[in-house]
Amino acid sequence: MTGGSLGIRSGSYGTLDKQLQNGVLPIQASSATRTFKPSKMFKEKETLVHWICKFAGRKRVGMLFLCVISAAVFVWVLYVGKGEDRESDRVPNINRNLPLNNSGSPLINKVQSIKIDNSTPLPASVRGAEVGVVPSPPPYFLGYTLPPGHPCNTFTLPPPPADKKRTGPRSCPVCYLPVEEAVALMPKFPSFSPVLKNLTYIYEENLKKETEFGGSDFGGYPNLKQRDDSYDIRELMNMHCGFVKGSKPGHGTGFDIDDNDLLEMERCYGVVVASAIFGAFDVIQHPKNISEYSKQTVCFYMFVDGETEADLKNELESGKIGLWRIIVVRNLPYTDGRRNGKIPKLLLHRLFPNARFSLWIDGKLQLVVDPYQILERFLWRKNATFAISRHYRRFDVFEEAEANKAGGKYDNASIDFQIEFYKNEGLTPYSEAKLPITSDVPEGCVIIREHVPISNLFTCLWFNEVDRFTSRDQISFSTVRDKIAARTNWTVNMFLDCERRNFVVQQYHKDILGLLAQRAPPAIYPPPLPPPPPPPANNPPGTFPVEISGGNIVSAPLRRVSQRRGRDRRSGSRRHRKVGKEIVSN
């Protein structure tokens, strides 16, 4: 092949001279003018490009270099696109990883100016599809730490008051952040859910009651094999979790709710605070110390039955009582009011499918701290998705079962059967060997949680145990928790009971309030005593007349009344009665 043919071949991509001017194919100019065999000195000076031309063939050199340039351009496009994706992802990460308020000034000035972003951005696989970026995992909330020197880092509980007369449970101080800072630290992304990524629920129009024991029309009748399978945690799971009949929770499933209320519940994004009163068992408690921002952004829902609605009708105004939006529930699935109360308590993620965080409080409790402060203290700061307080006295499930039997909380035989079943599965008494687990018994009147797949699984399994066995959820709590922990690294934040009593105040049930009102003696206000007559002029100083009987006047020495308490006061009164008897006898 001659150099002329090479020049003609290159002309199809533009003239060879133009390529030489652009510096694209410098080796072709040399090969086109020299057809003789290179000398020995030239061989010593030839470069890597000459070596490639010699062995690859001169016809393919142009195509080879064109491919190299194309590959370089493609790699440069990938690099630029990937850098832009990383830059866009880095902005929220910086915001959630920054330490709290390093400058010492408030994070924000006005609460109303904060905008909470409850949406999750598109996955990287969608954003980078145009440039072929390898899909990266979706962003998750990874927690944060307060800056060095922050008062909450060194906060310790003070010793309990030395009051021997009060030995029962009491509240203790808690280091909350201001509402503004707590709102600013609300996670922009959901927390990580270990193993489980997608949880769906079983619907059964025609219930199959093929189970060994337990179950209900509301929760279904899963057999023991299905129960064991629900503890085999996988990436995708489908399981029983109440509401097994009907098109969606609250619509023809039992625990039925009006369609307008269901629509409002679906519109609840962000944070929901929920409670329930069935059978007019409690007096509605109004939250206190709630910020204006929480009043505008937090959903407050109170579930009641028809009996409670009739009891509250004089207080209702446009379906609300104070902050509480009243949701009337029809067709309750259980005859036991306590078991009905477990539905909103454990299945809030099903009633509020779009809520991110929830705070459950029993109907007898009054909320006295802002919800954002509670969430920040017990969830976000601890990087936890589920928080519940321990029992103030008991740590062992076996002791809790005996206390329930002694208190007549449930049928003793049913409690014994449940404990024996758990023992056969490996339940053991609580001991220090279970540390860092601090207790097996919760005080279940308050639940703080984030709605992610793993925490939703936990409450579904917990509800299934309540549906199958007794309604005493403290007995089944540790079994469900430990089974999940054995297959994942998921844990529960069990905080002190005195900390719980800091943000909720417990009131008496309605029936107890009625008994106390009956036992209270009527208030009697005697008429004021007439003023004493003026003393006679011949009385010695320091005496005054006392009329005892029969018109006889006896002078008694005037004594200074001492401030006495307890035993001294009683002894003084006895002495006074003794002196009075002596006066009468005289």
Side-chain angles (χ1 to χ4, degrees):
M1 181 178 294
T2 65
S5 63
L6 179 58
I8 295 173
R9 177 69 174 176
S10 300
S12 62
Y13 298 95
T15 61
L16 181 60
D17 295 335
K18 186 176 181 179
Q19 294 179 12
L20 292 176
Q21 293 174 3
N22 295 333
V24 177
L25 297 174
I27 185 62
Q28 293 184 14
S30 174
S31 59
T33 57
R34 295 175 178 267
T35 59
F36 55 89
K37 185 176 180 180
S39 64
K40 183 176 182 180
M41 182 178 296
F42 186 80
K43 286 184 179 181
E44 293 177 354
K45 296 181 179 180
E46 67 180 356
T47 62
L48 179 62
V49 177
H50 295 81
W51 186 86
I52 293 176
C53 293
K54 178 179 179 181
F55 291 95
R58 297 177 180 178
K59 290 181 60 177
R60 301 179 183 177
V61 171
M63 184 65 69
L64 177 62
F65 275 88
L66 186 61
C67 292
V68 170
I69 294 174
S70 301
V73 172
F74 182 75
V75 171
W76 179 79
V77 171
L78 287 180
Y79 176 80
V80 173
K82 189 173 182 180
E84 292 177 352
D85 283 346
R86 287 181 176 176
E87 190 68 25
S88 62
D89 289 342
R90 193 176 297 119
V91 173
N93 290 338
I94 293 176
N95 289 337
R96 69 172 184 267
N97 290 328
L98 277 177
L100 172 65
N101 199 5
N102 283 327
S103 62
S105 59
L107 291 177
I108 53 177
N109 295 326
K110 295 184 179 179
V111 179
Q112 285 77 5
S113 64
I114 305 173
K115 181 179 179 181
I116 298 178
D117 182 12
N118 286 335
S119 61
T120 303
L122 292 175
S125 58
V126 177
R127 288 182 279 116
E130 298 180 358
V131 293
V133 178
V134 177
S136 59
Y140 293 110
F141 172 68
L142 301 177
Y144 55 82
T145 57
L146 299 180
H150 194 283
C152 290
N153 288 335
T154 56
F155 177 80
T156 57
L157 290 177
D163 187 357
K164 297 182 179 179
K165 295 182 180 179
R166 184 181 178 185
T167 59
R170 67 189 74 191
S171 64
C172 58
V174 176
C175 190
Y176 300 109
L177 295 186
V179 176
E180 296 87 352
E181 295 185 0
V183 172
L185 287 170
M186 183 176 182
K188 301 300 185 296
F189 305 118
S191 297
F192 178 72
S193 176
V195 183
L196 178 62
K197 305 304 178 187
N198 187 17
L199 180 63
T200 57
Y201 311 104
I202 293 176
Y203 294 93
E204 294 178 346
E205 289 297 335
N206 300 318
L207 292 177
K208 299 179 181 179
K209 302 182 180 181
E210 300 175 357
T211 183
E212 293 80 358
F213 60 90
S216 66
D217 290 348
F218 177 79
Y221 297 89
N223 55 39
L224 292 181
K225 183 179 183 303
Q226 290 175 308
R227 176 182 178 271
D228 293 339
D229 184 67
S230 64
Y231 287 106
D232 182 17
I233 302 175
R234 304 172 298 278
E235 186 172 351
L236 305 175
M237 295 185 64
N238 181 258
M239 62 176 300
H240 290 85
C241 189
F243 305 102
V244 296
K245 299 175 64 177
S247 57
K248 65 178 181 179
H251 193 277
T253 58
F255 205 85
D256 295 332
I257 300 172
D258 183 76
D259 288 342
N260 292 331
D261 290 332
L262 285 176
L263 182 61
E264 289 298 321
M265 292 161 63
E266 291 177 359
R267 292 173 178 171
C268 180
Y269 297 87
V271 180
V272 56
V273 177
S275 186
I277 299 175
F278 296 132
F281 197 61
D282 292 297
V283 178
I284 193 166
Q285 304 295 330
H286 297 279
K288 295 172 57 178
N289 305 320
I290 307 300
S291 66
E292 290 299 323
Y293 184 77
S294 293
K295 292 177 182 179
Q296 298 173 10
T297 60
V298 176
C299 308
F300 290 86
Y301 279 85
M302 175 70 70
F303 296 91
V304 301
D305 58 356
E307 181 180 355
T308 308
E309 179 194 20
D311 188 61
L312 299 174
K313 65 179 181 179
N314 295 331
E315 304 178 50
L316 278 171
E317 295 183 5
S318 302
K320 298 185 68 176
I321 298 179
L323 290 177
W324 295 111
R325 180 184 177 94
I326 306 301
I327 303 297
V328 181
V329 181
R330 312 292 182 186
N331 190 23
L332 292 174
Y334 303 107
T335 58
D336 181 7
R338 288 186 173 90
R339 199 184 292 268
N340 286 322
K342 299 300 185 295
I343 297 174
K345 175 179 180 178
L346 300 179
L347 303 182
L348 280 179
H349 64 284
R350 304 222 55 197
L351 293 169
F352 298 90
N354 298 315
R356 294 186 60 202
F357 303 95
S358 64
L359 171 61
W360 165 265
I361 58 176
D362 279 1
K364 63 183 177 182
L365 300 179
Q366 181 185 28
L367 183 66
V368 295
V369 174
D370 192 88
Y372 287 107
Q373 293 178 294
I374 298 172
L375 289 168
E376 190 282 327
R377 171 61 182 82
F378 297 103
L379 280 190
W380 307 335
R381 198 187 306 176
K382 298 292 184 180
N383 196 17
T385 57
F386 194 97
I388 193 170
S389 65
R390 340 168 187 168
H391 197 278
Y392 72 96
R393 180 180 297 172
R394 293 185 290 273
F395 303 90
D396 184 77
V397 176
F398 296 91
E399 294 180 4
E400 177 66 20
E402 293 301 320
N404 278 264
K405 291 163 59 178
K409 299 297 182 66
Y410 208 85
D411 175 65
N412 289 3
S414 300
I415 294 177
D416 290 337
F417 176 80
Q418 184 175 4
I419 291 295
E420 191 65 27
F421 187 90
Y422 290 160
K423 284 176 62 179
N424 294 333
E425 287 190 327
L427 177 66
T428 59
Y430 179 80
S431 64
E432 293 183 356
K434 289 191 174 183
L435 290 174
I437 295 175
T438 55
S439 176
D440 282 346
V441 181
E443 187 64 64
C445 56
V446 171
I447 294 178
I448 312 166
R449 55 179 296 214
E450 180 182 359
H451 296 184
V452 293
I454 193 67
S455 64
N456 296 342
L457 172 69
F458 173 74
T459 52
C460 285
L461 293 173
W462 195 5
F463 176 82
N464 290 344
E465 296 297 297
V466 170
D467 187 52
R468 179 183 293 273
F469 296 102
T470 70
S471 61
R472 308 307 299 171
D473 51 12
Q474 295 97 330
I475 297 178
S476 53
F477 168 81
S478 64
T479 294
V480 180
R481 177 201 62 191
D482 294 347
K483 284 179 176 290
I484 294 180
R487 294 166 175 82
T488 67
N489 60 350
W490 183 77
T491 58
V492 175
N493 176 24
M494 296 192 72
F495 53 93
L496 295 175
D497 180 71
C498 69
E499 295 176 310
R500 174 189 65 83
R501 295 175 185 271
N502 179 279
F503 62 85
V504 289
V505 177
Q506 183 168 327
Q507 308 293 343
Y508 288 112
H509 290 300
K510 195 172 184 180
D511 55 349
I512 299 179
L513 290 175
L515 293 176
L516 293 176
Q518 294 176 4
R519 293 178 181 178
I524 300 176
Y525 301 98
L529 297 175
N538 58 352
N539 285 344
T543 62
F544 67 92
V546 178
E547 183 177 353
I548 301 298
S549 62
N552 297 325
I553 303 297
V554 179
S555 296
L558 180 63
R559 295 183 300 171
R560 180 176 298 175
V561 179
S562 62
Q563 298 294 331
R564 295 180 176 180
R565 296 182 180 179
R567 183 178 302 174
D568 294 337
R569 182 176 59 188
R570 291 193 295 271
S571 62
S573 62
R574 287 196 299 269
R575 181 178 179 183
H576 179 73
R577 289 194 297 270
K578 184 177 180 181
V579 172
K581 290 180 181 179
E582 293 177 355
I583 295 174
V584 172
S585 61
N586 293 335

